[in-house]
Amino acid sequence: AKATLQNDFPYKEFMEFYKMHMVRLAKQEKKKSTVVEISARTGIDRRFIAPYINSDEITIKPSKVAKVYADVLAFCEKNDTKKILKNDDKKSFEVLCQKHANGSLTPKAI
């Protein structure tokens, strides 16, 4: 934990590296193991086993807040403005929040 905090290594990225290496080690120990067997041994959902085995790099989905922020920047750049309506409009901040984080994050929290 100290090493990840000192080196600004995000938790999500650390966990993805950990899962990928755990799957690869499970595959090395038993070469002919199936996806279901590896999933049962590691506790990782079987849908993610093949991507962990086949890819060299991890892919991390951006957070909901990052998606909203990217949309706000795109909106401001497209309309050449630095202001966005808070609510009561089809292109308001509230609508952008609902698009990416409907119910899980409120505009106030973001």
Side-chain angles (χ1 to χ4, degrees):
K2 286 182 182 179
T4 58
L5 290 173
Q6 289 172 349
N7 296 307
D8 291 328
F9 200 71
Y11 171 76
K12 269 187 166 181
E13 195 172 339
F14 172 77
M15 288 308 297
E16 289 300 313
F17 273 117
Y18 179 76
K19 289 177 189 177
M20 183 172 69
H21 289 291
M22 192 159 70
V23 166
R24 288 183 176 180
L25 286 173
K27 182 71 174 172
Q28 284 176 356
E29 285 179 8
K30 194 174 174 186
K31 298 278 186 202
K32 293 187 178 186
S33 58
T34 65
V35 169
V36 175
E37 288 176 26
I38 294 172
S39 176
R41 291 178 65 205
T42 60
I44 298 170
D45 193 313
R46 62 183 170 76
R47 295 174 294 165
F48 303 112
I49 300 296
Y52 285 143
I53 292 172
N54 298 328
S55 67
D56 291 331
E57 294 181 10
I58 60 167
T59 54
I60 299 172
K61 293 192 308 186
S63 69
K64 293 175 182 178
V65 174
K67 289 179 183 179
V68 170
Y69 183 68
D71 270 5
V72 168
L73 289 179
F75 175 84
C76 291
E77 189 174 306
K78 180 181 175 184
N79 296 315
D80 195 29
T81 183
K82 291 187 178 186
K83 294 182 179 180
I84 186 169
L85 292 173
K86 196 172 184 180
N87 52 15
D88 298 332
D89 188 36
K90 290 181 180 177
K91 296 178 181 176
S92 68
F93 183 69
E94 191 172 301
V95 171
L96 290 176
C97 291
Q98 288 176 351
K99 176 182 170 186
H100 293 295
N102 192 14
S104 60
L105 283 174
T106 63
K108 193 172 185 177
I110 293 173

